[in-house]
Amino acid sequence: GQGRDVKLSKDRIAGYKAFCNKLWNASKFFHLQLNTGLDVNPPDEGIENWLRKHWHELQPSNKWILSKLQKVTAVVEKGLNEFHLNSSSQALYDYVWREFCDWYIEFSKLSLQDIEHRDETIYTMHYVLEDIYKLLHPFIPFTTERLWQELPWKLEATHPTRETLGLGPVMSIMVQPYAKPQAEFVDQANERSVEALMNVIEAIRKFRGENNISPKKEIHIRYSTDRSPADAFIRMNSEEIRTLARVDSVERTKDEKSDHETVIPLTNPPVELRIDLKGLVDTDGEIKRVRKEIEKLKKDLDFVSKKLSNPKFVEKAPNDVVMKEQGKKADFETRLRELEQSLERLAAMEG
């Protein structure tokens, strides 16, 4: 950020190397979809015009990634105009890593298997990737030039300076028009719907992590809700939940919670997920593991709390350092509550 002197961090360099690899692999995934033996040709009117024409028919995940792209483009544009380069780069980092690579690529694997939505998904991925390369070009120019050059269906472009010098169009990302937000591609309602689906999937994945359940082991999910729209939402997205959360079935229930069930309450969508732990968890082993983790976490929390309660540290340390320690404390407290709740569930099962 502006006004900060930052020591060169090798860990930071390694982290951004991982980011470039993540983008490279996402691009490789796109190219693999073009080499499956199923012909895909660009639309005659161009991809952007095709997406506009078919906007209301697009798959929710395709509309979601396009809508989020417009928002990050606006943030990047504002950051560059105001010379807040860290704001622009952080927004791109989060969008590319979490939303495009972690979520959209996974969603796309489902629609790519559906012949009806295959071309649409490839067009969307191409459009988003090309805008990502353009947005990232001021930050990682060599990587983005290389990846852009490998894109199919790209167009030559020129620049006023080249025209003044009598030079024609050239095939380089450096003279391509920079990405601009497109208001027609923003859909807030669809964003909320897709993010509700992500909440369900993340809740199940988090449950697996907390209870050391292998991602390969499929589990049965029951859910309860007193709201018809929430029930309809789960039913409509059951295939995505089953595939991306690796569960064998998703069924509604009106029964009372059983002794061996754990309940995961969600507010968006307003449902309770119920998972039968019997046969899934080694109760004794998990209780020992969770208690050990709680003990370590309490020591870490005690250490950072003492640091923050020291007036000399709070007064003399830079503001960003103090905020970082406060963030650590909040994270430790949240994690501690989660582990204690997990321990209660395990103890109830054992009892």
Side-chain angles (χ1 to χ4, degrees), residues 151-202:
L151 267 182
W153 317 329
K154 57 189 179 290
L155 301 173
E156 288 183 332
T158 188
H159 187 272
T161 304
R162 292 183 61 82
E163 292 174 349
T164 302
L165 296 172
L167 300 172
V170 67
M171 195 65 83
S172 171
I173 194 174
M174 287 188 287
V175 292
Q176 291 289 318
Y178 201 60
K180 293 282 184 185
Q182 306 294 327
E184 309 96 297
F185 289 160
V186 175
D187 188 332
Q188 303 272 20
N190 185 73
E191 281 186 40
R192 288 191 293 270
S193 178
V194 172
E195 282 157 14
L197 172 59
M198 290 161 60
N199 286 342
V200 174
I201 295 166
E202 279 192 321

Side-chain angles (χ1 to χ4, degrees), residues 57-84:
E57 306 157 24
L58 297 185
Q59 288 285 92
S61 58
N62 289 331
K63 292 176 78 172
W64 171 75
I65 198 65
L66 286 166
S67 188
K68 298 294 282 187
L69 175 64
Q70 309 320 309
K71 292 185 175 180
V72 76
T73 301
V75 172
V76 172
E77 185 178 57
K78 185 174 186 290
L80 291 177
N81 287 337
E82 296 176 357
F83 291 93
H84 294 154

Side-chain angles (χ1 to χ4, degrees), residues 4-13:
R4 286 184 63 204
D5 293 326
V6 182
K7 292 180 181 178
L8 181 64
S9 164
K10 291 182 181 179
D11 289 341
R12 213 172 258 251
I13 293 169

